[in-house]
Amino acid sequence: MPATTPVLLVSDHVAGAVYLLTVPDGAVAGRLTGRHLSEHAGFLALPGGRVACVDDRRGELLVLDPFAEQLVERTVPVAVPAEHLACDPSGRRLAVTTGLGKNSEPWSDLLTVVDLATGEAARVRTRAGEPGVTVLGGGDPLVVLRHREPGALAVHRFADLLGAPPGCPRVVPHAVLALPDDGHGDAYVPGPELVFAATSEGVHRARRTGDALTAEAVVPWGSSARGWYLRFDTRRQALWTTLRGGDPDPLRWPEWSNQAWRHELGTGRTLLTELGPGLVFRLALARRHTAFSRIHPDGDELILLDADGAARRFPLPGMDGAPRRGGTPWEGVQRRAVAASPGSDWIAVTRGGHGEVHIVDAETGQEAARPRLSTPLHHGGHLVLRVRNDGADGDPVGR
């Protein structure tokens, strides 16, 4: 496949299917079956257009190359249920945390580290919870776990973890930096070696100093709401999230407020854009736009923000089984996933339960194709859009 051809990987984690589509025509160029990918750990962009993800049923890390003749480049056994997935800036060293899965409370404390260059892997015990993870590069890479209750950034040397003896021994952090107890959302900016963690107080920032972290000033939300998710925008050198406000009761979800939050790392400026009420989940970063899908009983829409923060809105057809008033937006309902590449102007958004993917030109807002797949894409599925050298691997945290 030509290096300039955008490709889309679509996961139906319920049905156990992964599709490879070409963009913008939406043609199916490949398919994996019997692969139930972790929607929570998501897709991790690796150099060369490759992608890492975790098969939660088989307990395997998958390295996929959508530009090669064989889609599956490598598999490595890892502990599951996968909670979060990250790599160092080279894409060689990966870490997979475990947590909740289909359980009512976190129960697993296993962490897996993998060296793709040597094929080595090791599992250790850390702390039960829902830990986020970042993997810092350099001569001696570090694994930083973001824990909750009590909140902390726990620093481990990657080499120590990889060299752990068999039997999943318990490990003690090399260094610890305190956080509030409600952290949720992680980002890592490789150049300045900055780690970010979202809490109700704002975005906590820490800089690597040797084999430890030094706290820096907290970035305020600038709103009464908070973000639960962070993304590093490699093209604009900014952090992004969606601020969710209002009564946290899931039954009140149609009244939730949503704001796009962008913090420019170079200037320190923060921009807020109103997105509207309802459910806004993950966001996607294209070459010149940032994409959000908004679900609401009065109608769904795709929202595209340009570099100046101006929003354009495009209605999306409704979903059978969509979240409704009086119910929650999480349990037994359909949702949407959205994907983009910093090397492309194409946006993809799913129509959960219908097996459809809308492929949209962000420059014009026109839909180029709407492929319908052979499985329903329950819960909206999950997506990643890549161009071979799009720079998406500059964000080394799974999404």
Side-chain angles (χ1 to χ4, degrees):
M1 192 175 297
T4 56
T5 301
V7 295
L8 184 67
L9 288 169
V10 185
S11 166
D12 188 328
H13 52 281
V14 178
V18 181
Y19 302 88
L20 173 63
L21 277 59
T22 54
V23 176
D25 60 3
V28 177
R31 179 179 174 180
L32 300 176
T33 57
R35 290 294 189 178
H36 299 261
L37 303 188
S38 168
E39 190 270 343
H40 198 281
F43 287 108
L44 172 64
L46 298 177
R50 298 174 302 145
V51 173
C53 50
V54 177
D55 185 330
D56 246 352
R57 175 171 284 183
R58 295 194 189 186
E60 288 183 330
L61 172 77
L62 299 178
V63 178
L64 307 179
D65 188 345
F67 299 96
E69 290 188 14
Q70 296 293 327
L71 180 56
V72 179
E73 178 182 288
R74 176 177 292 190
T75 63
V76 181
V78 296
V80 292
E83 191 76 18
H84 291 285
L85 167 66
C87 66
D88 75 328
S90 74
R92 169 181 170 176
R93 303 168 183 89
L94 288 80
V96 181
T97 66
T98 57
L100 198 66
K102 294 293 184 183
N103 300 275
S104 58
E105 60 185 28
W107 60 276
S108 176
D109 59 359
L110 289 175
L111 164 70
T112 308
V113 292
V114 177
D115 186 330
L116 292 180
T118 64
E120 294 176 275
R123 300 183 193 185
V124 297
R125 294 180 60 196
T126 58
R127 203 177 98 192
E130 300 175 81
V133 63
T134 50
V135 184
L136 283 55
D140 187 5
L142 303 177
V143 175
V144 179
L145 301 178
R146 189 257 312 140
H147 290 293
R148 296 196 292 186
E149 298 174 347
L153 291 174
V155 183
H156 301 262
R157 294 187 183 94
F158 188 93
D160 292 345
L161 300 177
L162 193 62
C168 304
R170 184 174 296 279
V171 294
V172 176
H174 170 71
V176 175
L177 190 64
L179 277 183
D181 289 347
D182 60 358
H184 193 292
D186 310 278
Y188 166 51
V189 180
E193 297 275 52
L194 286 171
V195 175
F196 298 89
T199 77
S200 58
E201 295 179 0
V203 179
H204 287 252
R205 178 171 50 189
R207 187 180 299 271
R208 178 176 182 173
T209 51
D211 286 349
L213 296 174
T214 300
E216 298 194 346
V218 176
V219 182
W221 293 123
S223 167
S224 59
R226 68 158 289 181
W228 298 90
Y229 168 79
L230 286 179
R231 287 205 69 166
F232 172 46
D233 185 338
T234 60
R235 187 167 290 273
R236 288 165 280 263
Q237 294 293 297
L239 296 176
W240 285 87
T241 191
T242 302
L243 305 186
R244 179 183 299 159
D247 190 328
D249 181 356
L251 296 178
R252 305 290 296 274
W253 73 270
E255 303 163 22
W256 286 346
S257 65
N258 297 280
Q259 297 169 303
W261 182 91
R262 183 179 81 190
H263 178 74
E264 298 175 346
L265 296 175
T267 65
R269 184 175 65 157
T270 299
L271 294 88
L272 296 175
T273 305
E274 296 293 335
L275 298 177
L279 177 67
V280 178
F281 204 34
R282 295 180 173 113
L283 59 93
L285 299 164
R287 180 154 44 200
R288 283 181 285 268
H289 295 82
T290 304
F292 305 78
S293 66
R294 186 175 70 89
I295 298 173
H296 194 273
D298 295 337
D300 297 356
E301 60 183 6
L302 173 67
I303 305 171
L304 300 179
L305 301 188
D306 64 19
D308 296 324
R312 290 182 298 155
R313 299 169 182 270
F314 306 93
L316 294 170
M319 299 177 290
D320 296 336
R324 301 184 183 279
R325 288 186 173 90
T328 80
W330 311 123
E331 307 300 328
V333 293
Q334 303 299 345
R335 293 187 293 272
R336 301 184 185 275
V338 63
S341 162
S344 167
D345 293 313
W346 296 107
I347 306 289
V349 58
T350 62
R351 188 183 182 202
H354 297 259
E356 293 182 349
V357 182
H358 306 270
I359 299 177
V360 177
D361 184 344
E363 292 292 295
T364 65
Q366 297 297 310
E367 183 177 272
R370 192 187 302 183
R372 185 159 194 165
L373 306 176
S374 57
T375 61
L377 296 182
H378 279 308
H379 308 159
H382 200 34
L383 304 170
V384 64
L385 200 155
R386 294 296 313 265
V387 179
R388 191 190 294 270
N389 295 307
D390 59 6
D393 52 292
D395 175 9
V397 178
R399 309 295 182 185

